[in-house]
Amino acid sequence: MTLLIKGARPYGEDAADILVKDGRIAAIGESLSATGADVVDATGLVALPGLVDLHTHLREPGREDAETVESGSRAAALGGYTAVHAMANTDPVADTAGVVEQVWRLGQEAGLVDVVPVGAVTVGLSGERLAELGAMADSAARVRVFSDDGHCVADPALMRRALEYVKALDGVVAQHAEEPRLTVGAQMHEGDRSARLGLTGWPAAAEEAIIARDVLLADHVGARLHVCHVSTAGSVEILRWAKSRGVQVTAEVTPHHLLLTDECAEGYDPVFKVNPPLRTDADVEALRAGLAEGVIDAVATDHAPHAVEDKETEWASARPGMLGLEQALSVVVATMVETGLLDWRGVADRMSARPAAIGRLDGHGRPLTPGEPANLLLLDPGTRAVVDPAALASRSRNSPYAGRELPGRVVATFLRGEATVLDGKATR
Ligand SMILES: [Zn+2]
């Protein structure tokens, strides 16, 4: 099977043709031709490596009314992704080889992105004893990222043991950093606004205290630590300090924390309720700067679909979480590219190369060069569109970007040379 992509701009640079043969990039250059090839006109479109998400909630098994591996995979492909890590807080929890293999197989069957299961750190996400980390690593799903996301591994002795185990597996613990004793009943960022709105606050210190503790533990053990959804300026400071000391720590930021602030809570619309919460303008500025600098390694969506009955209720009882996969690249274009903080190579690094490296994924996050797997996307950066939740591929509708105009449209996505998205539509 041969594919010829004409006139694309790899990394936003000079136009070139991209020839794909048998799932790999065969050549990149001017005026390429190939008899019998499928031709895609990509004039003016930016070509980037397929995106890799470290943090997706696909909800299957257990909450197929909110999302399935297939619907979430379709949303991911439409967002330009070729691989997503599926978080472990399903029902049953992905804490055994059996469950992670089930999720991995469902991903293979959907065939739209590579679905890479994350394994739970503790049995049932209970924070009490370690799950079968080795069995999950050795399974067909080849788990390398372990996380109790949704919950913090709060017990420091258990966290230390988890780090020791994953070190031997060449894995990483992805920590949802939230000291639970400091966030009992928390509803939004703790500050002037939470006091005025009468909502219990989630203090920045609850995140920063765990990150500080965990970088010290990771340093002591010599293991890799990954910090999920960093949301505060203080967290960026701690990460900068840890990296300067050579601690093996990586971190991610979500699109919503790059764009939105706690001001969104003013109308008590629970679509803006998320954990960790939306923070202040100063935090957003620090997160953008941290991502530009590389202190924050990756953008990860924390795509969190919720059924209407769990989300469209009063603020206090609504589940935290937001959709992210389909708009992530647009939000990064708006917050990082149009502001001059990142160029297209920077976007490829933070949304593809580094997340793939953190997850130890083969065949993803590779540069657009001959010989590499043809995992790539084509983006029209000039198109701006208003987000309509009803038009999303996700089974859920809880998009915080509803009604907001965002730049950039993913026109096509290719997984090992096969189109999963063409003309902005999923091919299956
Ligand atoms: Zn989380």
Side-chain angles (χ1 to χ4, degrees):
M1 202 207 81
T2 307
L3 174 73
L4 184 58
I5 300 168
K6 298 287 287 182
R9 294 189 294 134
Y11 304 101
E13 294 161 9
D14 293 342
D17 300 342
I18 303 171
L19 181 65
V20 174
K21 275 186 187 165
D22 302 324
R24 288 185 179 270
I25 297 172
I28 299 181
E30 279 180 61
S31 307
L32 299 181
S33 62
T35 45
D38 287 343
V39 177
V40 173
D41 177 12
T43 307
L45 303 180
V46 172
L48 294 175
L51 308 182
V52 175
D53 195 11
L54 280 167
H55 194 145
T56 308
H57 296 278
L58 293 178
R59 303 296 187 219
E60 187 176 8
R63 283 308 300 263
E64 291 83 353
D65 56 326
E67 197 77 289
T68 63
V69 171
E70 185 186 347
S71 66
S73 292
R74 191 170 293 118
L78 286 163
Y81 287 88
T82 52
V84 300
H85 286 76
M87 273 297 172
N89 62 337
T90 49
D91 183 12
V93 170
D95 58 4
T96 63
V99 178
V100 294
E101 286 188 347
Q102 178 193 353
V103 171
W104 176 75
R105 281 208 186 86
L106 288 167
Q108 298 277 110
E109 283 165 25
L112 287 152
V113 293
D114 285 345
V115 173
V116 187
V118 172
V121 175
T122 68
V123 175
L125 309 176
S126 64
E128 287 168 6
R129 61 192 168 88
L130 290 184
E132 302 167 3
L133 309 185
M136 290 189 276
D138 291 341
S139 74
R142 293 189 67 254
V143 175
R144 291 294 178 273
V145 181
F146 297 90
S147 182
D148 274 4
D149 183 61
H151 302 268
C152 184
V153 181
D155 179 339
L158 197 63
M159 183 62 179
R160 177 197 172 147
R161 281 218 293 135
L163 288 165
E164 286 168 344
Y165 267 91
V166 301
K167 183 184 178 186
L169 305 170
D170 192 30
V172 65
V173 177
Q175 175 72 296
H176 170 115
E178 174 184 359
E179 168 48 61
R181 296 279 295 142
L182 292 174
T183 59
V184 176
Q187 296 292 331
M188 67 173 290
H189 172 64
E190 182 172 308
D192 296 345
R193 203 166 249 129
S194 63
R196 192 157 42 74
L197 294 177
L199 293 171
T200 306
W202 198 127
E207 173 173 307
E208 294 156 6
I210 292 292
I211 297 175
R213 181 200 78 178
D214 286 354
V215 295
L216 295 174
L217 286 173
D219 191 25
H220 181 62
V221 169
R224 290 201 294 140
L225 167 71
H226 178 73
V227 184
C228 296
H229 41 52
V230 169
S231 71
T232 79
S235 297
V236 177
E237 288 294 308
I238 294 163
L239 289 164
R240 185 182 288 111
W241 173 84
K243 286 191 167 192
S244 76
R245 289 178 42 110
V247 178
Q248 297 180 71
V249 60
T250 56
E252 68 189 35
V253 62
T254 69
H256 47 272
H257 288 109
L258 288 172
L259 181 67
L260 306 173
T261 68
D262 63 347
E263 191 183 357
C264 293
E266 292 278 353
Y268 297 97
D269 181 345
V271 80
F272 297 111
K273 183 175 174 181
V274 66
N275 185 5
L278 301 173
R279 304 283 186 186
T280 67
D281 285 319
D283 293 308
V284 167
E285 195 179 330
L287 294 168
R288 290 182 185 185
L291 183 64
E293 187 186 339
V295 168
I296 297 173
D297 300 81
V299 175
T301 67
D302 196 4
H303 177 83
H306 285 298
V308 168
E309 66 269 26
D310 293 326
K311 197 64 182 170
E312 292 177 22
T313 167
E314 63 182 54
W315 183 285
S317 55
R319 300 285 302 278
M322 307 173 158
L323 299 184
L325 285 168
E326 293 176 69
Q327 271 69 49
L329 183 53
S330 287
V331 172
V332 170
V333 171
T335 59
M336 301 299 295
V337 179
E338 292 189 344
T339 54
L341 289 167
L342 277 185
D343 60 12
W344 294 111
R345 285 192 183 266
V347 172
D349 182 66
R350 308 300 197 275
M351 297 187 80
S352 179
R354 288 217 219 179
I358 292 164
R360 296 290 194 254
L361 279 194
D362 289 336
H364 289 277
R366 305 295 306 161
L368 297 177
T369 49
E372 297 290 354
N375 296 320
L376 66 140
L377 70 93
L378 300 173
L379 176 79
D380 178 356
T383 296
R384 307 184 78 88
V386 174
V387 177
D388 173 11
L392 298 176
S394 172
R395 282 203 176 176
S396 294
R397 294 288 168 262
N398 54 309
S399 171
Y401 313 115
R404 194 180 277 265
E405 189 184 90
L406 290 173
R409 172 175 179 262
V410 174
V411 175
T413 309
F414 300 91
L415 176 64
R416 288 181 285 277
E418 273 196 53
T420 54
V421 173
L422 270 183
D423 298 326
K425 294 183 178 62
T427 56
R428 68 181 90 157

